[in-house]
């Protein structure tokens, strides 16, 4: 794997982890969370983006 791909994977992981934390703390609505997740995937092009679910199931999770 080339160096830029590794960097993209790390940056995607960090961005998505932050997105998860914002949602879990009630600072993002589910719609905002879903849009930001899609933006993270487009911005960082994670290696297995095609395998990730298109819609996330966080809306059913209790806060």
């Amino acid at each position: 794997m080339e160096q830029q791909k590794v960097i993209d994977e790390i940056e995607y992981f960090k961005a998505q982890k932050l997105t998860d934390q914002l949602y879990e703390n009630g600072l993002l609505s589910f719609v905002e969370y879903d849009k930001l997740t899609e933006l993270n995937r487009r911005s960082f092009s994670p290696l297995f983006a095609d395998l990730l679910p298109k819609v996330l199931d966080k809306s059913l999770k209790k806060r």
Side-chain angles (χ1 to χ4, degrees):
M1 187 181 302
E2 61 189 67
Q3 186 174 0
Q4 188 57 49
K5 289 281 188 189
V6 173
I7 292 170
D8 287 346
E9 288 292 318
I10 293 168
E11 293 300 321
Y12 169 76
F13 178 79
K14 290 180 356 184
Q16 192 58 39
K17 182 86 169 158
L18 180 58
T19 301
D20 289 342
Q21 290 173 342
L22 289 169
Y23 179 75
E24 295 295 325
N25 288 311
L27 299 171
L28 291 177
S29 70
F30 175 72
V31 171
E32 292 168 323
Y33 174 85
D34 202 38
K35 287 179 182 178
L36 193 50
T37 295
E38 178 61 30
L39 183 60
N40 288 341
R41 290 177 186 173
R42 283 188 306 205
S43 297
F44 301 111
S45 301
L47 187 58
F48 299 110
D50 293 338
L51 301 177
L52 299 171
K54 297 295 181 205
V55 177
L56 304 173
D57 199 16
K58 294 252 184 198
S59 63
L60 301 176
K61 194 173 187 178
K62 292 182 182 178
R63 290 189 193 204

